[in-house]
Amino acid sequence: MPEIVEVMQWTDLIIFDYITGNYDRIASNQDAAEKEHIPEILADNIHNLRRDKQTNTIWLIDNESGFLDGYELMRNPKKSAEAKRFISFHKQMLNSICIFRKSTIRNLNKLHFHGNPAEMLLSEVHRHEPLSDFLPKIPEKLKFHETMKSRISDVYDRVQLCKRRFRRSE
């Protein structure tokens, strides 16, 4: 049973990094392995991730390469080979999973069916972060709202494909 819990933690990590556009965890290892022609890099420890020794829980740390930075990197894949590469790495990882926690699916559904999940996220930040009024505005060129909604839809579509493929319900 601990193995299935670990798989689902990795699935959550992949979904989180996909939605946020975080390229400084698994995708960076994929990039290094491909550029250096050393596939063994993928078996190395993933930085920006720690495992609790007592509970075996995975902790995601140092997520600054997500959302604004990640969305900026991947915003124009036609002009940037690097953007194309990281988009491809994220798609590969997303397409490698088909086991999901029920709670993850419930939360994904909330985000997917919400009219504007980015606005929901920003509202939560403003509600819970006392210094949020001092944060800079998100540049329009990032298309933050559209990008986040699109990436959530990609994950939702993946879940639906897995459900059809394995004919399992939530």
Side-chain angles (χ1 to χ4, degrees):
M1 191 64 148
E3 293 84 10
I4 193 72
V5 171
E6 185 173 348
V7 168
M8 287 190 279
Q9 286 184 73
W10 282 98
T11 295
D12 285 351
L13 176 146
I14 290 166
I15 290 171
F16 179 78
D17 280 358
Y18 187 89
I19 290 173
T20 65
N22 188 322
Y23 60 86
D24 194 26
R25 205 178 335 262
I26 297 174
S28 66
N29 279 15
Q30 290 171 290
D31 184 50
E34 191 175 286
K35 280 181 178 174
E36 297 174 29
H37 305 289
I38 306 172
E40 294 79 25
I41 289 174
L42 294 173
D44 287 347
N45 287 333
I46 296 174
H47 65 288
N48 298 341
L49 176 121
R50 296 295 177 262
R51 185 178 303 275
D52 184 297
K53 291 177 182 163
Q54 293 178 340
T55 65
N56 215 25
T57 304
I58 295 173
W59 287 85
L60 310 181
I61 58 171
D62 191 21
N63 295 302
E64 84 276 358
S65 295
F67 281 131
L68 302 184
D69 197 34
Y71 288 5
E72 172 67 24
L73 172 70
M74 293 181 261
R75 126 180 117 87
N76 199 341
K78 291 180 181 163
K79 290 185 178 179
S80 166
E82 186 177 32
K84 218 179 281 188
R85 290 171 58 76
F86 282 101
I87 289 169
S88 172
F89 294 145
H90 277 162
K91 284 282 190 191
Q92 287 171 26
M93 290 307 298
L94 181 62
N95 292 333
S96 75
I97 59 175
C98 247
I99 297 175
F100 308 96
R101 292 181 207 245
K102 286 183 180 183
S103 60
T104 300
I105 301 304
R106 275 193 305 275
N107 290 324
L108 176 66
N109 286 338
K110 282 183 202 172
L111 290 170
H112 178 72
F113 290 109
H114 189 279
N116 191 337
E119 196 57 47
M120 184 171 70
L121 171 70
L122 294 173
S123 173
E124 289 296 310
V125 169
H126 286 292
R127 192 165 70 192
H128 297 288
E129 175 50 61
L131 300 175
S132 66
D133 289 337
F134 299 102
L135 294 172
K137 297 288 182 212
I138 298 171
E140 284 295 320
K141 68 180 182 178
L142 290 183
K143 300 185 189 296
F144 181 73
H145 292 72
E146 296 91 349
T147 303
M148 185 177 181
K149 188 168 183 72
S150 172
R151 293 182 79 80
I152 289 168
S153 289
D154 290 346
V155 176
Y156 177 84
D157 291 345
R158 177 64 189 175
V159 170
Q160 297 310 306
L161 176 82
C162 291
K163 284 171 71 172
R164 285 190 304 275
R165 183 177 292 158
F166 298 107
R167 300 191 191 279
R168 306 255 340 179
S169 65
E170 294 177 19

